[in-house]
């Protein structure tokens, strides 16, 4: 069913309680009289309270009303804060470079006002050393304590150990700061682009943005490759240890 109000000739009642263009109360008038006033003011007769007896109608520019309502709804959605739980996976014997990379992602998530679920994945004999994962989680929590706090303490979940970090900054505050920074940068670029070197500045800004995007993509690719190498090393070590144990048992 349509949720839009009835307007003009679509209104099917003998009389209405009419509200003028400025919000003034005109009173109960016949529908024909209300439609005549709408034509006189070059406005629409809009039914704003269909369940009232008689229905309440208002004289307004319906097209302008719909546009303003859509803009208000868009602004409300823009200001809504949706808390997101990001996830970051680590290995107990993670390389220092990989640790710094993943910590950078955690820092970025917390700055955005999102929660972060940290998962330590144990493989093979690593499962007998849960203290390695606990120390790694505690180290990460200490490194980002200025941005977040331990919302859920480390706990074992099968082969994994999980901890949840919560941001000190609310999502709405993070969104507001991000918009303020973006507006400031946009204003700065517009200020530079008023001079004769506007085209050169635009090209430089575009090149910088492309370079940043490529660097981020390369970092993510390197991170994926590093995880694959670590997993392959652990599996290979486990494969070597199993035949050795078998021979000792024989």
């Amino acid at each position: 069913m349509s949720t839009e109000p009835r307007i003009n000739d679509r209104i099917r009642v003998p009389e209405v309680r009419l509200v003028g263009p400025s919000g003034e109360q005109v009173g109960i008038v016949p529908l024909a009289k209300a439609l005549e006033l709408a034509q006189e003011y070059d406005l629409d007769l809009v039914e704003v309270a269909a369940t009232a007896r008689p229905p309440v109608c208002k004289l307004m520019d319906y097209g302008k009303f719909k546009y303003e309502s859509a803009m208000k709804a868009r602004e409300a959605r823009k200001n809504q804060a949706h808390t997101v739980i990001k996830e970051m996976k680590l290995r107990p014997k993670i390389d220092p470079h990989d640790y710094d990379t993943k910590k950078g992602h955690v820092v970025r998530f917390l700055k955005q006002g999102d929660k972060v679920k940290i998962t330590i994945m144990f493989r093979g004999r690593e499962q007998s050393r849960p203290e390695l994962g606990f120390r790694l989680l505690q180290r990460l929590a200490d490194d980002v304590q200025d941005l977040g706090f331990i919302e859920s303490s480390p706990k074992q979940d099968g082969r994994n150990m999980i901890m949840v970090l919560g941001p000190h900054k609310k999502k709405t505050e993070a969104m507001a700061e991000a918009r303020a920074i973006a507006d400031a940068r946009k204003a700065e670029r517009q200020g530079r682009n008023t001079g004769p070197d506007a085209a050169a500045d635009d090209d430089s800004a575009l090149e910088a943005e492309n370079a940043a995007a490529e660097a981020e993509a390369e970092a993510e690719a390197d991170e994926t490759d590093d995880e694959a190498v670590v997993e392959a090393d652990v599996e290979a070590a486990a494969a070597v240890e199993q035949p050795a144990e078998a021979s000792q048992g024989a």
Side-chain angles (χ1 to χ4, degrees):
M1 296 179 61
S2 176
T3 58
E4 292 189 1
R6 293 185 296 181
I7 63 173
N8 299 327
D9 295 336
R10 292 172 55 191
I11 302 174
R12 303 293 185 182
V13 291
E15 58 184 13
V16 298
R17 184 179 298 276
L18 186 62
V19 179
S22 302
E24 69 276 12
Q25 296 289 333
V26 178
I28 297 176
V29 299
L31 178 61
K33 178 63 176 178
L35 291 173
E36 182 181 340
L37 290 174
Q39 292 180 352
E40 181 180 338
Y41 284 104
D42 194 20
L43 296 173
D44 298 302
L45 181 66
V46 182
E47 190 177 56
V48 295
T51 57
R53 291 294 178 267
V56 179
C57 295
K58 184 176 181 180
L59 298 176
M60 67 174 72
D61 184 340
Y62 186 59
K64 180 180 179 181
F65 170 75
K66 286 185 64 177
Y67 173 77
E68 292 177 349
S69 298
M71 293 301 295
K72 290 179 180 179
R74 179 181 178 184
E75 189 66 23
R77 289 193 300 269
K78 182 179 179 181
N79 293 329
Q80 284 180 346
H82 300 283
T83 301
V84 180
I85 299 180
K86 304 289 188 177
E87 184 172 12
M88 187 60 58
K89 296 183 178 180
L90 293 80
R91 298 296 303 278
K93 299 179 181 178
I94 188 171
D95 181 82
H97 172 72
D98 295 339
Y99 173 81
D100 292 337
T101 301
K102 290 182 178 290
K103 184 182 71 173
H105 291 314
V106 174
V107 168
R108 176 163 53 88
F109 295 148
L110 293 175
K111 285 183 176 180
Q112 293 173 353
D114 296 323
K115 296 181 181 181
V116 187
K117 176 183 176 183
I118 312 297
T119 303
I120 304 294
M121 302 180 297
F122 296 96
R123 299 289 176 85
R125 289 181 175 272
E126 293 176 348
Q127 297 182 58
S128 62
R129 302 289 304 279
E131 66 276 6
L132 296 178
F134 181 82
R135 286 201 295 266
L136 181 59
L137 291 175
Q138 192 61 47
R139 172 189 173 190
L140 180 59
D142 292 340
D143 289 344
V144 298
Q145 61 181 346
D146 292 340
L147 300 172
F149 61 95
I150 299 178
E151 185 173 287
S152 178
S153 300
K155 61 181 179 180
Q156 195 76 24
D157 183 15
R159 292 187 176 184
N160 301 328
M161 183 174 288
I162 298 173
M163 178 183 70
V164 177
L165 295 176
H168 291 312
K169 185 184 301 182
K170 293 182 179 181
K171 185 72 173 180
T172 52
E173 296 176 357
M175 292 171 59
E177 289 185 5
R179 285 197 296 268
I181 293 174
D183 292 342
R185 290 177 177 175
K186 182 178 179 180
E188 183 179 355
R189 286 197 299 268
Q190 290 177 347
R192 291 200 306 265
N193 292 345
T194 55
D197 298 332
D201 290 341
D202 287 339
D203 293 338
S204 300
L206 181 60
E207 291 177 0
E209 292 177 357
N210 292 336
E214 292 177 0
E216 183 176 354
E218 291 178 359
E220 292 180 356
D222 293 341
E223 179 182 342
T224 303
D225 294 340
D226 292 339
E227 289 183 357
V229 171
V230 173
E231 292 179 1
D233 291 343
V234 173
E235 292 176 358
V240 172
E241 291 175 357
Q242 290 177 357
E245 293 175 356
S247 61
Q248 290 177 1

